[in-house]
């Protein structure tokens, strides 16, 4: 260790110790917050500040937005003091972007965060060494088909006082995308602090369906947090001050649009909910407390071919569900939205003030099946967890390779591939590929110990097709434990460097992320 490194390390330890000494208010007792006392906030719509010439389209102009990374204090609950948060714009979630399919837009993303981080950085993680600045940010729009220079590569972070301007072409079908921090090594902390927001794309085809819209279309950005009695965020640490990383962070306070256990007054009619799981690690299995069913009409990358009637739907971190709930005939009732045993929020049904003219047509949007025979190759990709001798999680790896190893996945532009995630671990990992949308082919149980010893796959069950609510365009897929999960993906749009990773943020920050590169299609031989 050089003297410089030693000084940094000592400073880091002192900071951790100071943080602990400050650590202060005890944890909020589970169940101590009064439920359903705050109305559900609706994130405000981002407003353009001007126009600039659109790239590659002479004479055309594109709107410009400016959304700064900032520290704020906001009340998460009526009975709590304001909480220190980091966010985009001035709220958690940040302002919602609304774009039309095919109409590009610019966003300036200035970093106006304070000079010190307030959550426990682990300097032993790759990319978060004590020699890197403590406060860094870089934005990624999850699900966007964006050129590589606007995708928010994790190593392209920048410090307070700096900014980036990204262009989003939006040449893709309507979907609920979301933007969030993607900074190497501290992504889990920045998002936990509140750095995320919604990015909706619409088009005329979807508008013509007459789904519930306007004030009857409600974004629901869900996450869980641990809080202290003084209202401040509590992020779990390992107990080893030199390596505070934990493999998962779960909280018992459920936030919807940045409020703890809020309520929403709804009219007795149909509503459309654009639901996002923005949690670090929690899977939400959503159901209605009165046991009634609802319809799921869309998934990550847009509408399903047809509505699916469900009593519950499972959302891994970063997955989205487009839901329609029909409250007609329920005036006077109070209905809790649950996630397994947790209460999330409450709907209070009041009589409808006008006739419900919305529709949920039996056919929504065709999703042509990508044929397996169109795939140029299959990539077997193992998901592996490295454990210490004490049985503690050390790191998670994609295909046994750390982030900084040379790029191994290099699909050609406009080629189709099958990616086969061989999950040897005991956890479900939501795997996300940047740039692309894909379809789930199947999941199949296998024997992980044989695989780890011999690299041979011994299946122990039949291949299972995805559930109806997953059988649309996806950008994040649950790779369930001891299963081989296959997706089929066409690499369209741009050549260049992107990433794929697990969306459990603690995993992603500890090596469960890899670069991949879309390369120029090989020139066909001429005869
Ligand atoms: Cu994972």
């Amino acid at each position: 260790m050089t003297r410089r490194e030693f000084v940094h390390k000592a400073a880091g330890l002192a900071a951790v110790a100071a943080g602990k000494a400050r650590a202060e208010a005890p944890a909020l007792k589970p169940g101590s917050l009064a439920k359903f006392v705050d109305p559900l906030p609706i994130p405000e719509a981002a407003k353009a500040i001007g126009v600039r010439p659109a790239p590659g389209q002479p004479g055309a102009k594109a709107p410009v937005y400016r959304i700064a990374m900032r520290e704020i204090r906001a009340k998460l609950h009526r009975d709590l003091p304001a909480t220190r948060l980091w966010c985009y714009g001035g709220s958690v979630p940040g302002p919602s972007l609304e774009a039309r399919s095919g109409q590009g837009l610019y966003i300036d993303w200035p970093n106006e965060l304070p000079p010190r981080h307030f959550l426990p950085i682990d300097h032993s993680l790759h990319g978060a060494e004590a020699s890197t600045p403590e406060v860094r940010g870089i934005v990624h729009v999850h699900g966007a088909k964006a050129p590589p220079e606007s995708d928010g590569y994790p190593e392209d972070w920048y410090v307070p006082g700096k900014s980036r301007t990204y262009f989003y072409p939006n040449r893709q079908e309507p979907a609920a995308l979301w933007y969030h921090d993607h900074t190497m090594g501290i992504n889990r902390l920045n998002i936990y602090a509140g750095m995320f927001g919604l990015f909706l794309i619409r088009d005329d085809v979807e508008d013509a369906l007459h789904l519930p819209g306007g004030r009857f279309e409600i974004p629901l950005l869900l996450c869980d947090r641990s809080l202290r009695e003084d209202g401040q965020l509590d992020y779990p640490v390992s107990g080893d001050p030199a390596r505070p990383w934990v493999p998962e962070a779960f909280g018992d306070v459920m936030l919807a649009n940045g409020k703890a256990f809020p309520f929403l007054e709804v009219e007795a009619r149909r509503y459309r909910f654009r639901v996002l799981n923005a949690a670090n690690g929690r899977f939400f299995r959503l159901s209605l407390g009165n046991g009634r069913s609802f319809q799921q009409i869309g998934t990550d990358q847009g509408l399903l071919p047809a509505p699916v009637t469900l009593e519950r739907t499972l959302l891994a971190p970063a997955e989205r569900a487009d839901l329609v709930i029909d409250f007609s005939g329920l005036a006077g009732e109070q209905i809790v939205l649950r996630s397994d045993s947790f209460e999330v929020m409450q709907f209070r049904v009041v009589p409808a003030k006008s006739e419900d003219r919305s529709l949920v047509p039996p056919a929504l949007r065709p999703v042509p099946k990508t044929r397996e025979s169109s795939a140029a190759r299959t990539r077997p990709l193992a998901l592996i967890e490295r454990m210490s001798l004490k049985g503690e999680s050390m790191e998670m790896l994609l295909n046994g390779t750390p982030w900084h190893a040379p790029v191994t996945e290099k699909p050609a532009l406009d080629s189709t591939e099958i990616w086969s995630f061989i999950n040897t671990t005991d956890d479900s990992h939501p795997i996300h590929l940047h740039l692309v949308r894909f379809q789930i082919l199947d999941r199949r149980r296998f024997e992980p110990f044989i695989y780890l010893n011999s690299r041979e796959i011994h299946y122990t069950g039949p291949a299972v097709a995805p559930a109806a609510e997953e059988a649309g365009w996806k950008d994040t897929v649950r790779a369930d434990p001891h299963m081989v999960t296959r997706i089929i993906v066409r690499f369209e749009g741009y050549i260049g460097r992107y990433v794929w990773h697990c969306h459990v943020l603690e995993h992603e920050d500890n090596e469960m992320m890899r670069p991949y590169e879309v390369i120029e299609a090989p020139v066909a031989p001429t005869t």
Side-chain angles (χ1 to χ4, degrees):
M1 194 186 283
T2 65
R3 191 186 162 276
R4 187 183 155 77
E5 280 168 346
F6 176 77
V7 169
H8 270 287
K9 198 140 240 159
L13 288 175
V16 169
K20 279 283 139 204
R22 236 181 22 239
E24 349 60 327
L28 196 64
K29 285 188 194 63
S32 60
L33 285 179
K35 294 217 172 101
F36 321 132
V37 295
D38 292 291
L40 176 82
I42 305 296
E44 66 177 62
K47 289 179 193 69
I49 55 166
V51 292
R52 280 180 208 148
Q57 297 167 262
K61 300 240 191 280
V64 180
Y65 295 78
R66 182 184 187 281
I67 302 176
M69 307 172 192
R70 294 176 51 213
E71 177 171 291
I72 57 162
R73 280 179 170 69
K75 276 176 80 73
L76 304 183
H77 186 275
R78 182 193 68 185
D79 299 333
L80 287 177
T83 304
R84 184 203 321 207
L85 299 166
W86 285 7
C87 69
Y88 295 100
S91 59
V92 174
S96 295
L97 273 301
E98 287 245 4
R100 303 297 294 182
S101 180
Q103 295 181 10
L105 58 86
Y106 289 97
I107 307 180
D108 295 338
W109 298 104
N111 182 343
E112 296 178 359
L113 293 169
R116 315 300 304 187
H117 215 297
F118 71 105
L119 294 175
I121 295 178
D122 186 331
H123 295 296
S124 74
L125 295 184
H126 182 77
E129 293 80 4
S131 55
T132 57
E134 214 173 279
V135 179
R136 302 171 281 135
I138 183 85
V139 190
H140 167 63
V141 178
H142 182 119
K145 191 172 165 185
E149 62 275 14
S150 290
D151 194 55
Y153 197 67
E155 290 177 338
D156 288 346
W157 49 263
Y158 48 98
V159 296
K162 303 286 185 191
S163 186
R164 291 279 189 285
T165 298
Y166 282 172
F167 183 72
Y168 303 97
N170 301 323
R171 278 190 221 113
Q172 59 190 106
E173 286 187 5
L177 316 181
W178 63 297
Y179 59 93
H180 62 74
D181 185 76
H182 218 307
T183 306
M184 196 76 204
I186 53 169
N187 182 41
R188 70 197 184 291
L189 306 177
N190 287 353
I191 294 183
Y192 196 85
M195 299 182 74
F196 60 87
L198 198 63
F199 190 126
L200 292 172
I201 299 183
R202 304 182 188 277
D203 75 353
D204 295 345
V205 178
E206 188 170 307
D207 290 351
L209 295 176
H210 295 291
L211 296 164
R215 63 194 175 91
F216 306 111
E217 183 187 12
I218 308 282
L220 274 187
L221 289 77
L222 307 179
C223 62
D224 60 332
R225 294 290 184 268
S226 294
L227 299 177
R228 299 198 301 255
E229 281 181 354
D230 60 1
Q232 301 311 305
L233 294 179
D234 198 8
Y235 184 87
V237 289
S238 68
D240 177 355
R243 296 170 178 271
W245 177 82
V246 291
E248 270 98 26
F250 299 117
D252 52 22
V253 176
M254 302 298 141
L255 299 181
N257 297 350
K259 277 289 178 205
F261 313 110
F263 70 87
L264 176 68
E265 190 178 278
V266 292
E267 293 181 30
R269 51 159 290 147
R270 273 186 292 273
Y271 278 75
R272 182 182 185 188
F273 293 96
R274 313 300 295 267
V275 189
L276 158 69
N277 182 349
N280 280 40
R282 180 175 295 285
F283 287 52
F284 284 95
R285 192 192 317 268
L286 298 175
S287 63
L288 295 172
N290 60 357
R292 289 176 72 102
S293 60
F294 51 86
Q295 288 174 302
Q296 182 158 345
I297 59 169
T299 180
D300 305 340
Q301 283 281 328
L303 292 173
L304 290 163
V308 182
T309 300
L310 297 169
E311 279 165 15
R312 55 186 57 78
T313 192
L314 178 61
L315 282 184
E319 285 188 306
R320 284 87 75 205
D322 201 341
L323 304 181
V324 173
I325 304 180
D326 190 352
F327 297 104
S328 62
L330 299 177
E333 290 199 26
Q334 299 182 343
I335 302 163
V336 174
L337 179 70
R338 315 183 61 92
S339 173
D340 290 332
S341 60
F342 286 98
E343 294 181 312
V344 177
M345 64 173 289
Q346 182 195 54
F347 301 112
R348 294 182 188 166
V349 190
V350 300
K353 297 183 177 76
S354 56
E355 194 189 338
D356 184 358
R357 293 173 191 278
S358 71
L359 297 171
V360 181
L364 294 165
R365 190 163 193 139
V367 178
K369 279 254 182 295
T370 312
R371 285 177 301 111
E372 273 190 56
S373 59
S374 66
R377 62 178 291 175
T378 293
R379 293 181 193 270
L381 300 157
L383 315 184
I384 293 167
E385 180 170 15
R386 278 192 48 239
M387 309 292 277
S388 72
L389 292 173
K390 286 191 282 182
E392 289 162 341
S393 178
M394 305 277 291
E395 64 182 3
M396 321 267 175
L397 292 170
L398 297 171
N399 224 20
T401 36
W403 163 261
H404 59 270
V407 180
T408 40
E409 280 60 61
K410 295 182 180 178
L413 186 66
D414 292 325
S415 72
T416 299
E417 297 191 353
I418 294 169
W419 284 26
S420 183
F421 305 116
I422 304 160
N423 186 353
T424 67
T425 78
D426 297 335
D427 294 321
S428 183
H429 300 276
I431 301 293
H432 170 48
L433 278 67
H434 287 208
L435 176 68
V436 291
R437 59 180 188 173
F438 54 75
Q439 294 174 4
I440 303 173
L441 289 172
D442 50 34
R443 296 186 178 92
R444 192 167 182 189
R445 190 161 290 285
F446 76 108
E447 182 36 74
F449 302 103
I450 296 176
Y451 178 83
L452 287 169
N453 287 319
S454 67
R455 301 287 136 167
E456 281 169 23
I457 296 178
H458 286 233
Y459 290 110
T460 56
V464 179
E469 66 271 23
E470 291 184 305
W473 290 111
K474 296 278 294 168
D475 56 40
T476 306
V477 60
R478 273 185 295 107
D480 286 337
H482 305 181
M483 301 280 259
V484 174
T485 301
R486 297 192 310 146
I487 62 166
I488 187 160
V489 48
R490 192 171 155 84
F491 293 87
E492 294 177 304
Y494 306 92
I495 58 166
R497 185 71 64 91
Y498 292 91
V499 301
W500 66 287
H501 60 89
C502 175
H503 226 289
V504 171
L505 303 179
E506 285 66 32
H507 299 182
E508 174 187 343
D509 267 348
N510 197 356
E511 297 294 343
M512 211 168 190
M513 175 163 71
R514 285 282 292 151
Y516 84 89
E517 195 165 332
V518 182
I519 59 171
E520 204 87 59
V523 180
T526 49
T527 48

